[in-house]
Amino acid sequence: IVRTTRDEVGIVVRTHEDDALHPGIVLVEPDAVGGPPGPFCDMRERGDRGDFVRDVVETLPEGKYDLDVAAVLRQAEQAELAT
């Protein structure tokens, strides 16, 4: 679980061999316990000036929020298989 420079909370669902510091994450809303996960974000995305749109600010302990990380990972995997 990570916090981004945009103050988003996300669960890392994919890493990239070429850029380990900018993983793929699924955004989650910590206050919406049990709700559906948000959109997938590839943190390698760059803005118009070539800088990263978001970076990881910190990793968060799994127990910080009442998130079902396993359920988010399953949903992310199912969504990926569907595409």
Side-chain angles (χ1 to χ4, degrees):
I1 302 173
V2 297
R3 180 177 309 285
T4 73
T5 50
R6 298 172 78 174
D7 204 31
E8 301 158 316
V9 174
I11 297 174
V12 175
V13 295
R14 181 179 303 149
T15 57
H16 307 287
E17 289 183 20
D18 62 329
D19 191 352
L21 297 178
H22 293 93
I25 64 172
V26 171
L27 297 178
V28 293
E29 184 60 49
D31 297 330
V33 175
F40 172 80
C41 294
D42 186 342
M43 293 186 63
R44 295 178 298 177
E45 178 185 359
R46 294 180 181 262
D48 294 338
R49 295 179 298 181
D51 52 338
F52 288 106
V53 172
R54 57 178 56 82
D55 290 296
V56 172
V57 174
E58 66 179 329
T59 57
L60 303 170
E62 189 170 339
K64 181 163 178 72
Y65 299 108
D66 190 17
L67 297 170
D68 187 346
V69 174
V72 171
L73 293 174
R74 280 191 304 275
Q75 289 175 342
E77 182 178 323
Q78 289 171 353
E80 187 171 311
L81 291 173
T83 59

